[in-house]
Amino acid sequence: MSAQASVTPRVAADPQRLALAHSILGKAEAKTRRERSPRHEEWSSCEGRQFAIPEALASLMPQGKVRAGSSIEVTGPCGTSLALAFAAAAMGEESWCVLVGMPHVGLAACVDIGVDPQRTALVPAPGVQLSPVLSALIDGIDVIVLGADLDLTPAEWRAAENRARTQGTLLIRVGKARCDLTVRSSAPCWMGLARGSGRLRFRSARVSACGRGVAGAGSSVGVRVPTPAGALSSAPCTGPSTPHVSEAQTGARARLTLVRSGAQ
């Protein structure tokens, strides 16, 4: 009787202790996740999050945003400038950005295109630890811009994309890659020089896009980059400026004749 009496209270208390243990364990796990990453609450609902895009490209993407966890491939002669413009728009007022494998890009270039240098990190040479470094960055930063010379295998790139989708991170890759959205620049021309003098002011180009949320195949817009305001601006793509030639000058040139050496 005494043995049964001593065992019964312990058995009756087990469910309560088990519930208490589950409660403590749950609180500890939640605290660990918050300490490990301040974006935990955002990640839990990352499917509803979206990143803004440059206003100059709004006609290509009617929604004006890309969903969290997306990947963007930026190619063409203005690829780096476009990638930074996408990063500037996506950062907004709170998010952080990191440039990985882009040693030729400094903070001054970021400022020119509208990227906030106070919320930008540079990883110019991740080295042989590229894959683990990229995984760690995806876990803690909202916008990641990857240089064209990064040596990522197809398997490593797929792993990075999967991790970004889970964490709600936007990946912007300069150069060709398999991404959700492809943005390409073409027909660039510098503006500012005329009659052999002056200085380069901005570059004009055509930009096209294809992928999810794009208005239609084959559509493109004219942009100028960089502009005095920093971000891309909409503009018709014009050809390079040429000096004006008057009719009098044309007639004078027409009267010129070839004189050979020794001719009388």
Side-chain angles (χ1 to χ4, degrees), residues 20-73:
L20 179 61
H22 279 303
S23 176
I24 295 174
L25 180 60
K27 292 179 180 179
E29 289 178 347
K31 181 180 179 181
T32 301
R33 287 195 295 267
R34 287 194 298 268
E35 292 178 349
R36 185 177 302 172
S37 171
R39 297 192 305 156
H40 171 70
E41 294 182 359
E42 296 181 4
W43 292 344
S44 62
S45 58
C46 65
E47 292 183 358
R49 295 180 59 213
Q50 291 182 318
F51 291 102
I53 64 170
E55 292 183 4
L57 304 180
S59 61
L60 292 179
M61 307 169 205
Q63 294 182 354
K65 295 182 179 180
V66 293
R67 65 175 178 80
S70 298
S71 58
I72 303 176
E73 166 194 334

mmCIF file of all heavy atoms in Angstrom, residues 20-73:
data_model
loop_
_atom_site.group_PDB
_atom_site.id
_atom_site.type_symbol
_atom_site.label_atom_id
_atom_site.label_comp_id
_atom_site.label_asym_id
_atom_site.label_seq_id
_atom_site.Cartn_x
_atom_site.Cartn_y
_atom_site.Cartn_z
ATOM 1 N N LEU A 20 4.808 21.255 -18.958
ATOM 2 C CA LEU A 20 5.707 22.325 -18.560
ATOM 3 C C LEU A 20 7.021 22.254 -19.329
ATOM 4 O O LEU A 20 7.569 23.269 -19.776
ATOM 5 C CB LEU A 20 5.959 22.251 -17.052
ATOM 6 C CG LEU A 20 6.921 23.310 -16.478
ATOM 7 C CD1 LEU A 20 6.356 24.703 -16.723
ATOM 8 C CD2 LEU A 20 7.146 23.067 -14.985
ATOM 9 N N ALA A 21 7.533 21.040 -19.510
ATOM 10 C CA ALA A 21 8.786 20.856 -20.247
ATOM 11 C C ALA A 21 8.634 21.296 -21.699
ATOM 12 O O ALA A 21 9.506 21.959 -22.262
ATOM 13 C CB ALA A 21 9.227 19.392 -20.182
ATOM 14 N N HIS A 22 7.499 20.938 -22.323
ATOM 15 C CA HIS A 22 7.243 21.362 -23.708
ATOM 16 C C HIS A 22 7.169 22.882 -23.804
ATOM 17 O O HIS A 22 7.676 23.488 -24.768
ATOM 18 C CB HIS A 22 5.940 20.743 -24.212
ATOM 19 C CG HIS A 22 6.094 19.323 -24.670
ATOM 20 N ND1 HIS A 22 6.986 18.943 -25.646
ATOM 21 C CD2 HIS A 22 5.450 18.180 -24.280
ATOM 22 C CE1 HIS A 22 6.899 17.632 -25.850
ATOM 23 N NE2 HIS A 22 5.975 17.139 -25.018
ATOM 24 N N SER A 23 6.542 23.481 -22.805
ATOM 25 C CA SER A 23 6.411 24.937 -22.821
ATOM 26 C C SER A 23 7.775 25.619 -22.718
ATOM 27 O O SER A 23 8.083 26.550 -23.458
ATOM 28 C CB SER A 23 5.504 25.385 -21.676
ATOM 29 O OG SER A 23 5.446 26.783 -21.611
ATOM 30 N N ILE A 24 8.600 25.133 -21.794
ATOM 31 C CA ILE A 24 9.940 25.711 -21.615
ATOM 32 C C ILE A 24 10.787 25.499 -22.864
ATOM 33 O O ILE A 24 11.497 26.396 -23.322
ATOM 34 C CB ILE A 24 10.623 25.099 -20.383
ATOM 35 C CG1 ILE A 24 9.849 25.504 -19.113
ATOM 36 C CG2 ILE A 24 12.072 25.555 -20.286
ATOM 37 C CD1 ILE A 24 10.360 24.828 -17.866
ATOM 38 N N LEU A 25 10.713 24.294 -23.447
ATOM 39 C CA LEU A 25 11.493 23.997 -24.646
ATOM 40 C C LEU A 25 11.057 24.890 -25.811
ATOM 41 O O LEU A 25 11.889 25.405 -26.569
ATOM 42 C CB LEU A 25 11.320 22.529 -25.023
ATOM 43 C CG LEU A 25 12.091 22.058 -26.271
ATOM 44 C CD1 LEU A 25 13.584 22.271 -26.074
ATOM 45 C CD2 LEU A 25 11.792 20.595 -26.559
ATOM 46 N N GLY A 26 9.747 25.084 -25.949
ATOM 47 C CA GLY A 26 9.258 25.943 -27.025
ATOM 48 C C GLY A 26 9.738 27.379 -26.876
ATOM 49 O O GLY A 26 10.136 28.015 -27.854
ATOM 50 N N LYS A 27 9.720 27.892 -25.653
ATOM 51 C CA LYS A 27 10.191 29.253 -25.427
ATOM 52 C C LYS A 27 11.678 29.377 -25.711
ATOM 53 O O LYS A 27 12.148 30.366 -26.274
ATOM 54 C CB LYS A 27 9.891 29.675 -23.987
ATOM 55 C CG LYS A 27 8.408 29.841 -23.687
ATOM 56 C CD LYS A 27 8.194 30.246 -22.236
ATOM 57 C CE LYS A 27 6.707 30.404 -21.933
ATOM 58 N NZ LYS A 27 6.463 30.772 -20.519
ATOM 59 N N ALA A 28 12.449 28.352 -25.330
ATOM 60 C CA ALA A 28 13.895 28.371 -25.585
ATOM 61 C C ALA A 28 14.191 28.350 -27.070
ATOM 62 O O ALA A 28 15.068 29.063 -27.566
ATOM 63 C CB ALA A 28 14.561 27.181 -24.887
ATOM 64 N N GLU A 29 13.456 27.530 -27.820
ATOM 65 C CA GLU A 29 13.677 27.464 -29.268
ATOM 66 C C GLU A 29 13.308 28.782 -29.936
ATOM 67 O O GLU A 29 14.004 29.250 -30.847
ATOM 68 C CB GLU A 29 12.847 26.323 -29.861
ATOM 69 C CG GLU A 29 13.362 24.945 -29.487
ATOM 70 C CD GLU A 29 12.484 23.847 -30.055
ATOM 71 O OE1 GLU A 29 11.365 24.170 -30.509
ATOM 72 O OE2 GLU A 29 12.901 22.682 -30.032
ATOM 73 N N ALA A 30 12.193 29.381 -29.498
ATOM 74 C CA ALA A 30 11.792 30.667 -30.078
ATOM 75 C C ALA A 30 12.820 31.746 -29.785
ATOM 76 O O ALA A 30 13.166 32.553 -30.655
ATOM 77 C CB ALA A 30 10.422 31.075 -29.531
ATOM 78 N N LYS A 31 13.365 31.755 -28.570
ATOM 79 C CA LYS A 31 14.386 32.731 -28.219
ATOM 80 C C LYS A 31 15.649 32.523 -29.044
ATOM 81 O O LYS A 31 16.278 33.473 -29.509
ATOM 82 C CB LYS A 31 14.699 32.634 -26.727
ATOM 83 C CG LYS A 31 15.747 33.647 -26.278
ATOM 84 C CD LYS A 31 16.032 33.509 -24.785
ATOM 85 C CE LYS A 31 17.105 34.501 -24.348
ATOM 86 N NZ LYS A 31 17.417 34.373 -22.909
ATOM 87 N N THR A 32 16.029 31.262 -29.235
ATOM 88 C CA THR A 32 17.226 30.969 -30.028
ATOM 89 C C THR A 32 17.058 31.452 -31.466
ATOM 90 O O THR A 32 17.965 32.034 -32.053
ATOM 91 C CB THR A 32 17.512 29.455 -30.029
ATOM 92 O OG1 THR A 32 17.687 29.021 -28.678
ATOM 93 C CG2 THR A 32 18.765 29.147 -30.826
ATOM 94 N N ARG A 33 15.892 31.246 -32.058
ATOM 95 C CA ARG A 33 15.659 31.694 -33.425
ATOM 96 C C ARG A 33 15.698 33.217 -33.520
ATOM 97 O O ARG A 33 16.240 33.776 -34.462
ATOM 98 C CB ARG A 33 14.312 31.169 -33.934
ATOM 99 C CG ARG A 33 14.323 29.682 -34.251
ATOM 100 C CD ARG A 33 13.097 29.335 -35.083
ATOM 101 N NE ARG A 33 11.869 29.536 -34.340
ATOM 102 C CZ ARG A 33 11.249 28.585 -33.631
ATOM 103 N NH1 ARG A 33 11.761 27.369 -33.574
ATOM 104 N NH2 ARG A 33 10.126 28.846 -32.991
ATOM 105 N N ARG A 34 15.133 33.902 -32.529
ATOM 106 C CA ARG A 34 15.154 35.364 -32.559
ATOM 107 C C ARG A 34 16.559 35.902 -32.423
ATOM 108 O O ARG A 34 16.951 36.856 -33.094
ATOM 109 C CB ARG A 34 14.260 35.926 -31.444
ATOM 110 C CG ARG A 34 12.778 35.782 -31.705
ATOM 111 C CD ARG A 34 11.991 36.653 -30.761
ATOM 112 N NE ARG A 34 12.203 36.271 -29.368
ATOM 113 C CZ ARG A 34 11.452 35.407 -28.713
ATOM 114 N NH1 ARG A 34 10.453 34.801 -29.322
ATOM 115 N NH2 ARG A 34 11.700 35.125 -27.456
ATOM 116 N N GLU A 35 17.369 35.280 -31.531
ATOM 117 C CA GLU A 35 18.738 35.736 -31.352
ATOM 118 C C GLU A 35 19.589 35.432 -32.573
ATOM 119 O O GLU A 35 20.488 36.174 -32.931
ATOM 120 C CB GLU A 35 19.345 35.087 -30.109
ATOM 121 C CG GLU A 35 18.706 35.572 -28.811
ATOM 122 C CD GLU A 35 19.294 34.871 -27.613
ATOM 123 O OE1 GLU A 35 20.036 33.883 -27.814
ATOM 124 O OE2 GLU A 35 19.025 35.309 -26.483
ATOM 125 N N ARG A 36 19.315 34.322 -33.214
ATOM 126 C CA ARG A 36 20.100 33.930 -34.374
ATOM 127 C C ARG A 36 19.783 34.807 -35.566
ATOM 128 O O ARG A 36 20.637 35.119 -36.369
ATOM 129 C CB ARG A 36 19.815 32.470 -34.722
ATOM 130 C CG ARG A 36 20.664 31.925 -35.853
ATOM 131 C CD ARG A 36 20.368 30.463 -36.064
ATOM 132 N NE ARG A 36 20.616 29.700 -34.847
ATOM 133 C CZ ARG A 36 20.286 28.412 -34.716
ATOM 134 N NH1 ARG A 36 19.688 27.772 -35.698
ATOM 135 N NH2 ARG A 36 20.538 27.781 -33.589
ATOM 136 N N SER A 37 18.547 35.233 -35.694
ATOM 137 C CA SER A 37 18.167 36.062 -36.842
ATOM 138 C C SER A 37 17.017 36.978 -36.473
ATOM 139 O O SER A 37 15.948 36.502 -36.111
ATOM 140 C CB SER A 37 17.764 35.182 -38.021
ATOM 141 O OG SER A 37 17.210 35.962 -39.033
ATOM 142 N N PRO A 38 17.235 38.308 -36.564
ATOM 143 C CA PRO A 38 16.156 39.246 -36.226
ATOM 144 C C PRO A 38 15.022 39.237 -37.233
ATOM 145 O O PRO A 38 13.996 39.854 -37.004
ATOM 146 C CB PRO A 38 16.880 40.603 -36.246
ATOM 147 C CG PRO A 38 18.042 40.393 -37.150
ATOM 148 C CD PRO A 38 18.459 38.963 -36.924
ATOM 149 N N ARG A 39 15.199 38.538 -38.367
ATOM 150 C CA ARG A 39 14.148 38.535 -39.382
ATOM 151 C C ARG A 39 13.248 37.310 -39.263
ATOM 152 O O ARG A 39 12.505 37.011 -40.188
ATOM 153 C CB ARG A 39 14.777 38.559 -40.779
ATOM 154 C CG ARG A 39 15.576 39.792 -41.073
ATOM 155 C CD ARG A 39 15.892 39.861 -42.558
ATOM 156 N NE ARG A 39 16.566 38.653 -43.000
ATOM 157 C CZ ARG A 39 16.555 38.230 -44.259
ATOM 158 N NH1 ARG A 39 15.887 38.879 -45.168
ATOM 159 N NH2 ARG A 39 17.210 37.142 -44.611
ATOM 160 N N HIS A 40 13.276 36.607 -38.147
ATOM 161 C CA HIS A 40 12.518 35.361 -38.039
ATOM 162 C C HIS A 40 11.032 35.580 -38.276
ATOM 163 O O HIS A 40 10.385 34.815 -38.984
ATOM 164 C CB HIS A 40 12.751 34.735 -36.667
ATOM 165 C CG HIS A 40 11.844 33.561 -36.405
ATOM 166 N ND1 HIS A 40 11.966 32.368 -37.066
ATOM 167 C CD2 HIS A 40 10.790 33.420 -35.558
ATOM 168 C CE1 HIS A 40 11.037 31.525 -36.645
ATOM 169 N NE2 HIS A 40 10.313 32.141 -35.732
ATOM 170 N N GLU A 41 10.474 36.637 -37.660
ATOM 171 C CA GLU A 41 9.048 36.887 -37.816
ATOM 172 C C GLU A 41 8.705 37.194 -39.268
ATOM 173 O O GLU A 41 7.648 36.809 -39.747
ATOM 174 C CB GLU A 41 8.632 38.039 -36.898
ATOM 175 C CG GLU A 41 8.755 37.689 -35.416
ATOM 176 C CD GLU A 41 8.293 38.834 -34.557
ATOM 177 O OE1 GLU A 41 7.907 39.881 -35.128
ATOM 178 O OE2 GLU A 41 8.321 38.696 -33.325
ATOM 179 N N GLU A 42 9.601 37.904 -39.977
ATOM 180 C CA GLU A 42 9.329 38.209 -41.377
ATOM 181 C C GLU A 42 9.389 36.953 -42.222
ATOM 182 O O GLU A 42 8.633 36.767 -43.163
ATOM 183 C CB GLU A 42 10.333 39.241 -41.888
ATOM 184 C CG GLU A 42 10.215 40.580 -41.187
ATOM 185 C CD GLU A 42 11.209 41.573 -41.741
ATOM 186 O OE1 GLU A 42 11.919 41.215 -42.706
ATOM 187 O OE2 GLU A 42 11.296 42.687 -41.220
ATOM 188 N N TRP A 43 10.356 36.068 -41.928
ATOM 189 C CA TRP A 43 10.504 34.841 -42.705
ATOM 190 C C TRP A 43 9.263 33.961 -42.594
ATOM 191 O O TRP A 43 8.908 33.253 -43.523
ATOM 192 C CB TRP A 43 11.720 34.070 -42.231
ATOM 193 C CG TRP A 43 13.003 34.769 -42.546
ATOM 194 C CD1 TRP A 43 13.204 35.790 -43.429
ATOM 195 C CD2 TRP A 43 14.277 34.512 -41.960
ATOM 196 N NE1 TRP A 43 14.510 36.184 -43.434
ATOM 197 C CE2 TRP A 43 15.191 35.414 -42.542
ATOM 198 C CE3 TRP A 43 14.731 33.608 -41.001
ATOM 199 C CZ2 TRP A 43 16.539 35.431 -42.203
ATOM 200 C CZ3 TRP A 43 16.073 33.616 -40.666
ATOM 201 C CH2 TRP A 43 16.953 34.518 -41.261
ATOM 202 N N SER A 44 8.620 33.981 -41.427
ATOM 203 C CA SER A 44 7.461 33.109 -41.255
ATOM 204 C C SER A 44 6.334 33.477 -42.215
ATOM 205 O O SER A 44 5.482 32.655 -42.511
ATOM 206 C CB SER A 44 6.961 33.194 -39.802
ATOM 207 O OG SER A 44 6.548 34.523 -39.514
ATOM 208 N N SER A 45 6.356 34.727 -42.709
ATOM 209 C CA SER A 45 5.327 35.142 -43.664
ATOM 210 C C SER A 45 5.965 35.741 -44.911
ATOM 211 O O SER A 45 5.461 36.705 -45.469
ATOM 212 C CB SER A 45 4.402 36.179 -43.008
ATOM 213 O OG SER A 45 5.150 37.296 -42.572
ATOM 214 N N CYS A 46 7.118 35.190 -45.345
ATOM 215 C CA CYS A 46 7.856 35.780 -46.454
ATOM 216 C C CYS A 46 7.102 35.657 -47.765
ATOM 217 O O CYS A 46 7.393 36.394 -48.707
ATOM 218 C CB CYS A 46 9.245 35.140 -46.577
ATOM 219 S SG CYS A 46 9.211 33.378 -47.013
ATOM 220 N N GLU A 47 6.133 34.748 -47.845
ATOM 221 C CA GLU A 47 5.392 34.604 -49.090
ATOM 222 C C GLU A 47 4.603 35.863 -49.414
ATOM 223 O O GLU A 47 4.340 36.161 -50.571
ATOM 224 C CB GLU A 47 4.467 33.394 -49.011
ATOM 225 C CG GLU A 47 5.209 32.060 -48.957
ATOM 226 C CD GLU A 47 4.257 30.897 -48.949
ATOM 227 O OE1 GLU A 47 3.038 31.143 -48.940
ATOM 228 O OE2 GLU A 47 4.711 29.743 -48.946
ATOM 229 N N GLY A 48 4.224 36.626 -48.384
ATOM 230 C CA GLY A 48 3.478 37.840 -48.625
ATOM 231 C C GLY A 48 4.346 39.070 -48.811
ATOM 232 O O GLY A 48 3.840 40.129 -49.180
ATOM 233 N N ARG A 49 5.643 38.955 -48.580
ATOM 234 C CA ARG A 49 6.541 40.097 -48.709
ATOM 235 C C ARG A 49 6.879 40.343 -50.167
ATOM 236 O O ARG A 49 6.911 39.426 -50.983
ATOM 237 C CB ARG A 49 7.827 39.858 -47.925
ATOM 238 C CG ARG A 49 7.658 39.750 -46.428
ATOM 239 C CD ARG A 49 8.997 39.507 -45.771
ATOM 240 N NE ARG A 49 9.922 40.598 -46.067
ATOM 241 C CZ ARG A 49 11.236 40.437 -46.204
ATOM 242 N NH1 ARG A 49 11.765 39.233 -46.127
ATOM 243 N NH2 ARG A 49 12.013 41.473 -46.442
ATOM 244 N N GLN A 50 7.170 41.604 -50.481
ATOM 245 C CA GLN A 50 7.567 41.978 -51.829
ATOM 246 C C GLN A 50 8.635 43.056 -51.767
ATOM 247 O O GLN A 50 8.716 43.818 -50.799
ATOM 248 C CB GLN A 50 6.353 42.483 -52.631
ATOM 249 C CG GLN A 50 5.335 41.408 -52.965
ATOM 250 C CD GLN A 50 4.188 41.955 -53.792
ATOM 251 O OE1 GLN A 50 3.683 43.038 -53.528
ATOM 252 N NE2 GLN A 50 3.787 41.210 -54.808
ATOM 253 N N PHE A 51 9.450 43.108 -52.818
ATOM 254 C CA PHE A 51 10.481 44.126 -52.938
ATOM 255 C C PHE A 51 10.127 45.054 -54.095
ATOM 256 O O PHE A 51 9.667 44.602 -55.143
ATOM 257 C CB PHE A 51 11.856 43.490 -53.192
ATOM 258 C CG PHE A 51 12.418 42.734 -52.019
ATOM 259 C CD1 PHE A 51 12.354 41.350 -51.976
ATOM 260 C CD2 PHE A 51 13.009 43.412 -50.962
ATOM 261 C CE1 PHE A 51 12.879 40.652 -50.904
ATOM 262 C CE2 PHE A 51 13.530 42.717 -49.887
ATOM 263 C CZ PHE A 51 13.464 41.337 -49.851
ATOM 264 N N ALA A 52 10.377 46.340 -53.896
ATOM 265 C CA ALA A 52 10.113 47.315 -54.947
ATOM 266 C C ALA A 52 11.158 47.192 -56.058
ATOM 267 O O ALA A 52 12.260 46.678 -55.847
ATOM 268 C CB ALA A 52 10.133 48.724 -54.363
ATOM 269 N N ILE A 53 10.805 47.668 -57.252
ATOM 270 C CA ILE A 53 11.715 47.701 -58.388
ATOM 271 C C ILE A 53 11.890 49.159 -58.815
ATOM 272 O O ILE A 53 11.113 50.018 -58.409
ATOM 273 C CB ILE A 53 11.189 46.865 -59.572
ATOM 274 C CG1 ILE A 53 9.884 47.472 -60.109
ATOM 275 C CG2 ILE A 53 10.993 45.415 -59.169
ATOM 276 C CD1 ILE A 53 9.426 46.856 -61.408
ATOM 277 N N PRO A 54 12.906 49.474 -59.621
ATOM 278 C CA PRO A 54 13.068 50.858 -60.093
ATOM 279 C C PRO A 54 11.832 51.356 -60.830
ATOM 280 O O PRO A 54 11.243 50.639 -61.643
ATOM 281 C CB PRO A 54 14.280 50.764 -61.031
ATOM 282 C CG PRO A 54 15.050 49.583 -60.538
ATOM 283 C CD PRO A 54 14.027 48.612 -60.058
ATOM 284 N N GLU A 55 11.433 52.591 -60.553
ATOM 285 C CA GLU A 55 10.227 53.146 -61.174
ATOM 286 C C GLU A 55 10.342 53.202 -62.694
ATOM 287 O O GLU A 55 9.344 53.091 -63.402
ATOM 288 C CB GLU A 55 9.968 54.549 -60.624
ATOM 289 C CG GLU A 55 9.576 54.568 -59.150
ATOM 290 C CD GLU A 55 9.252 55.972 -58.678
ATOM 291 O OE1 GLU A 55 9.263 56.894 -59.531
ATOM 292 O OE2 GLU A 55 8.996 56.146 -57.480
ATOM 293 N N ALA A 56 11.563 53.361 -63.205
ATOM 294 C CA ALA A 56 11.749 53.452 -64.650
ATOM 295 C C ALA A 56 11.385 52.161 -65.367
ATOM 296 O O ALA A 56 11.148 52.167 -66.575
ATOM 297 C CB ALA A 56 13.200 53.822 -64.972
ATOM 298 N N LEU A 57 11.313 51.053 -64.637
ATOM 299 C CA LEU A 57 10.985 49.759 -65.239
ATOM 300 C C LEU A 57 9.565 49.318 -64.914
ATOM 301 O O LEU A 57 9.204 48.168 -65.145
ATOM 302 C CB LEU A 57 11.980 48.695 -64.756
ATOM 303 C CG LEU A 57 13.459 49.001 -64.994
ATOM 304 C CD1 LEU A 57 14.323 47.861 -64.470
ATOM 305 C CD2 LEU A 57 13.738 49.245 -66.469
ATOM 306 N N ALA A 58 8.748 50.228 -64.379
ATOM 307 C CA ALA A 58 7.397 49.865 -63.955
ATOM 308 C C ALA A 58 6.543 49.386 -65.117
ATOM 309 O O ALA A 58 5.676 48.525 -64.945
ATOM 310 C CB ALA A 58 6.729 51.050 -63.265
ATOM 311 N N SER A 59 6.768 49.926 -66.315
ATOM 312 C CA SER A 59 5.953 49.502 -67.455
ATOM 313 C C SER A 59 6.263 48.070 -67.878
ATOM 314 O O SER A 59 5.430 47.410 -68.485
ATOM 315 C CB SER A 59 6.181 50.455 -68.633
ATOM 316 O OG SER A 59 7.534 50.440 -69.042
ATOM 317 N N LEU A 60 7.457 47.586 -67.558
ATOM 318 C CA LEU A 60 7.801 46.197 -67.871
ATOM 319 C C LEU A 60 7.183 45.234 -66.873
ATOM 320 O O LEU A 60 6.885 44.087 -67.215
ATOM 321 C CB LEU A 60 9.318 46.020 -67.883
ATOM 322 C CG LEU A 60 10.101 46.719 -69.002
ATOM 323 C CD1 LEU A 60 11.588 46.448 -68.844
ATOM 324 C CD2 LEU A 60 9.624 46.263 -70.362
ATOM 325 N N MET A 61 7.019 45.666 -65.643
ATOM 326 C CA MET A 61 6.476 44.828 -64.583
ATOM 327 C C MET A 61 5.322 45.566 -63.928
ATOM 328 O O MET A 61 5.521 46.356 -63.006
ATOM 329 C CB MET A 61 7.565 44.510 -63.558
ATOM 330 C CG MET A 61 8.818 43.931 -64.184
ATOM 331 S SD MET A 61 10.193 43.859 -63.027
ATOM 332 C CE MET A 61 11.569 43.897 -64.180
ATOM 333 N N PRO A 62 4.113 45.370 -64.420
ATOM 334 C CA PRO A 62 2.953 46.142 -63.951
ATOM 335 C C PRO A 62 2.741 46.108 -62.444
ATOM 336 O O PRO A 62 2.217 47.061 -61.871
ATOM 337 C CB PRO A 62 1.785 45.490 -64.696
ATOM 338 C CG PRO A 62 2.402 44.873 -65.910
ATOM 339 C CD PRO A 62 3.758 44.418 -65.481
ATOM 340 N N GLN A 63 3.136 45.024 -61.780
ATOM 341 C CA GLN A 63 2.935 44.951 -60.341
ATOM 342 C C GLN A 63 3.857 45.912 -59.601
ATOM 343 O O GLN A 63 3.571 46.291 -58.471
ATOM 344 C CB GLN A 63 3.168 43.516 -59.844
ATOM 345 C CG GLN A 63 2.137 42.525 -60.377
ATOM 346 C CD GLN A 63 2.360 41.129 -59.833
ATOM 347 O OE1 GLN A 63 3.342 40.859 -59.137
ATOM 348 N NE2 GLN A 63 1.445 40.228 -60.140
ATOM 349 N N GLY A 64 4.964 46.279 -60.226
ATOM 350 C CA GLY A 64 5.886 47.217 -59.610
ATOM 351 C C GLY A 64 6.723 46.636 -58.493
ATOM 352 O O GLY A 64 7.465 47.361 -57.837
ATOM 353 N N LYS A 65 6.618 45.325 -58.289
ATOM 354 C CA LYS A 65 7.376 44.682 -57.218
ATOM 355 C C LYS A 65 7.714 43.248 -57.613
ATOM 356 O O LYS A 65 7.136 42.695 -58.544
ATOM 357 C CB LYS A 65 6.577 44.682 -55.908
ATOM 358 C CG LYS A 65 6.311 46.062 -55.330
ATOM 359 C CD LYS A 65 5.558 45.971 -54.016
ATOM 360 C CE LYS A 65 5.317 47.352 -53.436
ATOM 361 N NZ LYS A 65 4.578 47.290 -52.143
ATOM 362 N N VAL A 66 8.659 42.665 -56.897
ATOM 363 C CA VAL A 66 8.979 41.242 -57.042
ATOM 364 C C VAL A 66 8.818 40.594 -55.679
ATOM 365 O O VAL A 66 9.065 41.218 -54.651
ATOM 366 C CB VAL A 66 10.406 41.028 -57.583
ATOM 367 C CG1 VAL A 66 10.530 41.528 -59.004
ATOM 368 C CG2 VAL A 66 11.445 41.710 -56.691
ATOM 369 N N ARG A 67 8.390 39.369 -55.680
ATOM 370 C CA ARG A 67 8.119 38.695 -54.398
ATOM 371 C C ARG A 67 9.415 38.352 -53.680
ATOM 372 O O ARG A 67 10.467 38.155 -54.296
ATOM 373 C CB ARG A 67 7.299 37.426 -54.634
ATOM 374 C CG ARG A 67 8.007 36.353 -55.435
ATOM 375 C CD ARG A 67 7.165 35.092 -55.518
ATOM 376 N NE ARG A 67 7.810 34.069 -56.314
ATOM 377 C CZ ARG A 67 8.773 33.271 -55.855
ATOM 378 N NH1 ARG A 67 9.186 33.389 -54.604
ATOM 379 N NH2 ARG A 67 9.315 32.356 -56.636
ATOM 380 N N ALA A 68 9.353 38.288 -52.365
ATOM 381 C CA ALA A 68 10.499 37.893 -51.565
ATOM 382 C C ALA A 68 10.924 36.475 -51.917
ATOM 383 O O ALA A 68 10.095 35.621 -52.185
ATOM 384 C CB ALA A 68 10.152 37.985 -50.081
ATOM 385 N N GLY A 69 12.226 36.253 -51.947
ATOM 386 C CA GLY A 69 12.754 34.947 -52.299
ATOM 387 C C GLY A 69 13.017 34.778 -53.783
ATOM 388 O O GLY A 69 13.401 33.696 -54.217
ATOM 389 N N SER A 70 12.812 35.826 -54.574
ATOM 390 C CA SER A 70 13.025 35.751 -56.016
ATOM 391 C C SER A 70 14.505 35.896 -56.354
ATOM 392 O O SER A 70 15.315 36.365 -55.548
ATOM 393 C CB SER A 70 12.235 36.840 -56.739
ATOM 394 O OG SER A 70 10.856 36.690 -56.536
ATOM 395 N N SER A 71 14.840 35.524 -57.585
ATOM 396 C CA SER A 71 16.188 35.726 -58.110
ATOM 397 C C SER A 71 16.081 36.474 -59.431
ATOM 398 O O SER A 71 15.190 36.210 -60.231
ATOM 399 C CB SER A 71 16.909 34.388 -58.313
ATOM 400 O OG SER A 71 16.182 33.546 -59.196
ATOM 401 N N ILE A 72 16.991 37.439 -59.643
ATOM 402 C CA ILE A 72 16.979 38.278 -60.838
ATOM 403 C C ILE A 72 18.323 38.172 -61.534
ATOM 404 O O ILE A 72 19.376 38.379 -60.914
ATOM 405 C CB ILE A 72 16.692 39.748 -60.484
ATOM 406 C CG1 ILE A 72 15.359 39.884 -59.743
ATOM 407 C CG2 ILE A 72 16.677 40.608 -61.737
ATOM 408 C CD1 ILE A 72 15.065 41.296 -59.285
ATOM 409 N N GLU A 73 18.290 37.861 -62.808
ATOM 410 C CA GLU A 73 19.490 37.826 -63.644
ATOM 411 C C GLU A 73 19.567 39.126 -64.428
ATOM 412 O O GLU A 73 18.621 39.501 -65.119
ATOM 413 C CB GLU A 73 19.426 36.632 -64.595
ATOM 414 C CG GLU A 73 20.431 36.666 -65.728
ATOM 415 C CD GLU A 73 20.105 35.652 -66.806
ATOM 416 O OE1 GLU A 73 19.447 34.636 -66.490
ATOM 417 O OE2 GLU A 73 20.478 35.878 -67.979
#
